[in-house]
Amino acid sequence: MIAPLDASKVQINKTKSPSKPKSNNELEFGKTFTDHMLTVEWTEKNGWGTPEIKPYGNLSLDPSCSVFHYGFELFEGLKAYRTPDNQITMFRPDKNMERLNKSAARICLPTVNGEEVIKLMGKLIEQDKYLVPEGQGYALYLRPTMIGTTPALGVSAPDRALLFVIASPVGPYYKTGFKAVRLEATDYATRAWPGGCGDKKLGANYAPCVLPQKQAAERGYQQNLWLFGPEKYITEVGTMNVFFVFKDSKTGKKELVTAPLDGTILEGVTRDSILSLAREKLSSDEWTISERYFSITEVAEKAAKGELVEAFGAGTAAVVSPIKEIGWGEKDIHVPLQPGKQSGALTEDIAKWIADIQYGKEKRGNWSRV
Ligand code: COI
């Protein structure tokens, strides 16, 4: 019989040496992990095995496993927050499960019943709840991951897989905190392309982007602003989606714009949350919210006319990351910041709208899952 994934079957093996929570100022993004991890094996023949929550530790895998040779790997990233009434809530985990399944389908790994994985992540958090940090900017970052584990070198769909979830107490993604960054507009390397898999959260999309990032860093830029095609469309920034704000100097109308989900753009949960909140909270008399193609040339032209108002990256890890400068050709395009601050006004508002929901100050539908 092919067994479905069943969270109620979980076996829990607790650590004998629980760790002490670190203080917030010791937390660096993804450097330390909680005491337990979740693992579930899958085989084509038998389906999903028994989910296990066990002490955090090494995996033991045959060196011929498909993950090591052909990149059968996908991951997700989501956060759980400690609210003022001491509940722990995951932010929109259903969206991560939807995306996990799209990534899995693309690289022939098994799809999951997302609800069962959410329940299992809940049980994992329950084990390690004393390690979930408290305070704005702090959270438990969850990293669901799936790998192909077929021990064979033939290039084919894995008939074995391992789903695992690890968890890391985190502070702000950038050591500098909420500080505007300088980007290098990058057209000599391409992050994603039509017909590719840039909209999926596959490890294979990330490793090749690190060299251009190092090269940009040598020139004094923290991240790449990924351009695409002869039109030099703006697609993403670093590992995040990207938003720009323009203001028409004739009509005074403002536009919040991000690239459309055309298969080359990661379907970011933060991106989706920002678009929903902006469509709801910003008056349509004053604002247009657009998912459309826009290029670095358009940004440079608008900047020259004083119509570039702000720009920021958006992702789970950093939430929003304001941008202050974009190196393009011989010049730097300057993005205005509010006087004495590290972001534009809308960027600041959006960070607050999202934090209020994540930290439980504001309730919003099913976005927070206890
Ligand atoms: C995010 O912005 O949440 C990311 O995907 C970054 C992650 C790869 C560390």
Side-chain angles (χ1 to χ4, degrees), residues 33-338:
F33 297 91
T34 61
D35 291 342
H36 296 91
M37 64 198 265
L38 167 77
T39 61
V40 203
E41 287 182 18
W42 171 89
T43 63
E44 192 172 51
K45 191 157 160 246
N46 298 320
W48 291 100
T50 306
E52 285 182 72
I53 290 175
K54 56 190 177 193
Y56 184 95
N58 293 351
L59 300 173
S60 175
L61 293 170
D62 188 298
S64 70
C65 279
S66 24
V67 60
F68 297 131
H69 304 276
Y70 308 123
F72 287 96
E73 192 266 1
L74 65 86
F75 68 94
E76 276 301 320
L78 70 158
K79 282 179 178 163
Y81 297 86
R82 193 181 283 284
T83 65
D85 54 356
N86 228 4
Q87 283 187 319
I88 297 168
T89 61
M90 284 179 260
F91 184 68
R92 306 191 73 188
D94 51 319
K95 298 292 288 176
N96 294 89
M97 293 301 112
E98 252 175 55
R99 194 172 61 188
L100 181 150
N101 278 332
K102 290 186 193 175
S103 302
R106 183 66 182 79
I107 55 169
C108 301
L109 288 176
T111 55
V112 297
N113 177 336
E115 194 49 36
E116 296 303 302
V117 180
I118 294 171
K119 284 187 205 154
L120 287 166
M121 290 193 294
K123 289 175 196 278
L124 177 66
I125 298 170
E126 180 72 36
Q127 289 309 311
D128 288 338
K129 63 183 172 206
Y130 68 102
L131 297 172
V132 180
E134 193 178 333
Q136 189 111 352
Y138 295 86
L140 185 70
Y141 182 80
L142 296 154
R143 173 54 64 90
T145 309
M146 204 193 310
I147 58 177
T149 53
T150 299
L153 296 183
V155 183
S156 58
D159 64 356
R160 306 181 75 90
L162 176 71
L163 170 69
F164 63 89
V165 183
I166 53 176
S168 172
V170 294
Y173 184 66
Y174 293 110
K175 284 193 209 87
T176 47
F178 196 67
K179 207 164 171 202
V181 294
R182 301 181 73 223
L183 309 179
E184 182 179 74
T186 305
D187 61 357
Y188 63 88
T190 306
R191 194 200 78 88
W193 45 87
C197 49
D199 57 339
K200 308 295 187 296
K201 214 154 172 74
L202 307 179
N205 286 328
Y206 289 77
C209 291
V210 173
L211 179 63
Q213 201 241 314
K214 280 177 70 177
Q215 291 165 339
E218 280 161 17
R219 293 185 280 265
Y221 300 96
Q222 279 104 326
Q223 291 290 344
N224 305 87
L225 181 64
W226 300 109
L227 305 182
F228 178 75
E231 298 87 353
K232 316 258 180 245
Y233 288 134
I234 290 178
T235 61
E236 296 194 12
V237 53
T239 60
M240 288 185 267
N241 295 117
V242 70
F243 286 81
F244 279 73
V245 179
F246 303 134
K247 183 174 182 177
D248 187 305
S249 45
K250 292 198 193 80
T251 62
K253 194 153 180 177
K254 289 197 242 183
E255 181 185 24
L256 174 66
V257 58
T258 192
L261 299 179
D262 65 354
T264 69
I265 303 294
L266 190 84
E267 298 180 11
V269 178
T270 310
R271 176 189 181 281
D272 182 82
S273 305
I274 290 171
L275 288 170
S276 311
L277 291 166
R279 289 189 172 119
E280 189 180 294
K281 290 183 188 273
L282 299 176
S283 138
S284 57
D285 295 337
E286 286 173 47
W287 285 90
T288 308
I289 315 297
S290 308
E291 292 169 76
R292 67 164 174 90
Y293 292 109
F294 65 109
S295 67
I296 189 73
T297 321
E298 179 180 344
V299 168
E301 281 168 11
K302 289 206 154 81
K305 287 196 279 179
E307 294 187 338
L308 171 60
V309 181
E310 42 192 300
F312 59 93
T316 295
V319 188
V320 295
S321 172
I323 297 163
K324 65 178 176 191
E325 248 163 19
I326 303 167
W328 171 233
E330 298 300 297
K331 286 201 197 138
D332 279 342
I333 300 171
H334 291 274
V335 186
L337 301 174
Q338 299 174 94

